Amino acid sequence: MVPKMSLSRLTLMLGVVALVAGLANVSSSRGVANASPVFHADAPVVGVWEVFVGGAPFGPHLFTFHSDHTFLSSNPDAGDPHTSDSDGEGVWQGRKTVTGIFKEYNADRTTHLFVSILTVTYTITVTGDTFTGDALAVETDANTGEVLFSGPATFTATRMKLP
């Protein structure tokens, strides 16, 4: 015989189960941007990096490599006097040698029109809490796909850590 359960008790139990499942999800997603030892051993690049990009209009950048192999790049929008660019977003693969690609969308500062897409492909080598590497930046017209610029860049980075 199955014991009867009140509707309020069942609702409470389901709420607790949902809360525990939600907390487990939050806990498991914390490693995405944090270079915990588990992720660091599996993919040494995971974490946040202070990067100098040689060849960029504004050299200092922040790169974040997530454990799900997604990537974010950020630098001051005002670093380029001609266009306003979005954050760079992309994907990566590898362990100590990492290859990846990211894109930034650019708007003309005067007309506010979508004018170009910057696509950056790169290969970096991770050594402890540093990495270095080379990249190729290709800017294409947003409407025609015509190449507006193509040139090399270099990355020199240090992992961001707590003081």
Side-chain angles (χ1 to χ4, degrees):
M1 180 171 181
V2 177
K4 291 186 177 184
M5 184 181 300
S6 72
L7 183 58
S8 62
R9 182 170 169 92
L10 177 62
T11 302
L12 176 65
M13 288 177 66
L14 290 174
V16 168
V17 168
L19 176 63
V20 169
L23 289 175
N25 186 37
V26 167
S27 175
S28 68
S29 68
R30 289 185 65 204
V32 169
N34 298 327
S36 72
V38 171
F39 291 116
H40 186 79
D42 188 44
V45 75
V46 170
V48 179
W49 299 81
E50 295 177 287
V51 184
F52 183 81
V53 180
F58 188 85
H61 285 62
L62 293 172
F63 285 5
T64 303
F65 292 85
H66 298 266
S67 61
D68 66 354
H69 294 256
T70 58
F71 168 91
L72 294 173
S73 168
S74 179
N75 67 314
D77 174 63
D80 186 333
H82 307 292
T83 60
S84 169
D85 55 311
S86 68
D87 287 341
E89 298 190 25
V91 294
W92 63 274
Q93 65 182 8
R95 282 191 30 77
K96 291 189 181 213
T97 300
V98 174
T99 59
I101 184 172
F102 68 91
K103 292 186 177 190
E104 294 179 0
Y105 287 20
N106 301 314
D108 182 279
R109 288 193 184 277
T110 305
T111 66
H112 306 286
L113 295 175
F114 176 33
V115 293
S116 63
I117 300 170
L118 180 69
T119 303
V120 178
T121 55
Y122 59 89
T123 300
I124 59 173
T125 302
V126 181
T127 306
D129 289 330
T130 64
F131 73 69
T132 58
D134 296 311
L136 176 64
V138 178
E139 186 174 4
T140 55
D141 184 280
N143 298 304
T144 66
E146 173 190 352
V147 174
L148 303 173
F149 167 83
S150 179
T154 57
F155 296 159
T156 306
T158 303
R159 183 184 304 278
M160 186 180 290
K161 294 182 178 183
L162 290 171

